[in-house]
Amino acid sequence: MKILVVDDEQDVKLLFQQRFRKEIRNKELHFAFAFSGEEALTYLGELNHEAVLILSDINMPGMSGLELLEQIKKNFLKPPPVVMMITAYGDKENYDTAMRLGADDFLTKPLEFGILKEKLKALL
């Protein structure tokens, strides 16, 4: 499964590589990283949107994760990627907006990697 992680925090890449070391080594999961919404759209466009799953932070400078979600759901239809939003702010307004825009799931930081692994296994 190809997963695009979108977060403006650079250390997220190392964190995901550590937490999913076994799955990466066994070639069960392949991660790509974008550090802005704009970079994520470029990645999806250039690679014919290879990502099956997109994990996106909501609060980022420039294009927010919610704006990215809206663009993904509008422009990448076949096959539609699964989009999970991740935020430190688990407030009702962000949740409702994400769901209205078509998010498939909503996770809060600090991310529970055990829960995320279970969700990913269910999608495999």
Side-chain angles (χ1 to χ4, degrees):
M1 175 187 295
K2 293 189 179 199
I3 300 168
L4 175 61
V5 179
V6 186
D7 197 312
D8 59 310
E9 301 277 335
Q10 296 280 333
D11 58 347
V12 164
K13 181 176 182 177
L14 183 60
L15 182 62
F16 271 83
Q17 289 172 333
Q18 289 173 341
R19 296 296 181 123
F20 289 96
R21 183 174 41 244
K22 180 181 156 198
E23 293 83 357
I24 293 168
R25 189 175 51 243
N26 293 338
K27 298 189 173 145
E28 296 168 21
L29 300 175
H30 171 76
F31 288 91
F33 298 88
F35 300 103
S36 70
E38 295 86 356
E39 188 180 334
L41 288 177
T42 299
Y43 173 87
L44 292 170
E46 287 176 355
L47 298 175
N48 201 21
H49 96 96
E50 288 184 349
V52 174
L53 173 68
I54 300 167
L55 297 170
S56 178
D57 187 19
I58 287 180
N59 297 306
M60 297 184 288
M63 179 185 290
S64 75
L66 294 173
E67 291 167 321
L68 173 63
L69 171 62
E70 192 169 23
Q71 290 295 314
I72 290 168
K73 292 299 183 172
K74 186 170 103 180
N75 297 317
F76 298 96
L77 304 173
K78 293 186 180 186
V82 172
V83 182
M84 294 183 182
M85 303 308 295
I86 303 171
T87 183
Y89 308 101
D91 60 276
K92 184 170 173 22
E93 182 180 346
N94 272 328
Y95 175 84
D96 290 345
T97 302
M99 291 299 131
R100 181 178 47 77
L101 293 173
D104 296 287
D105 208 338
F106 191 90
L107 307 167
T108 56
K109 291 180 181 180
L111 199 52
E112 292 283 339
F113 281 92
I115 292 171
L116 179 58
K117 284 184 181 189
E118 290 302 315
K119 289 177 182 281
L120 296 180
K121 283 180 185 177
L123 294 172
L124 287 175

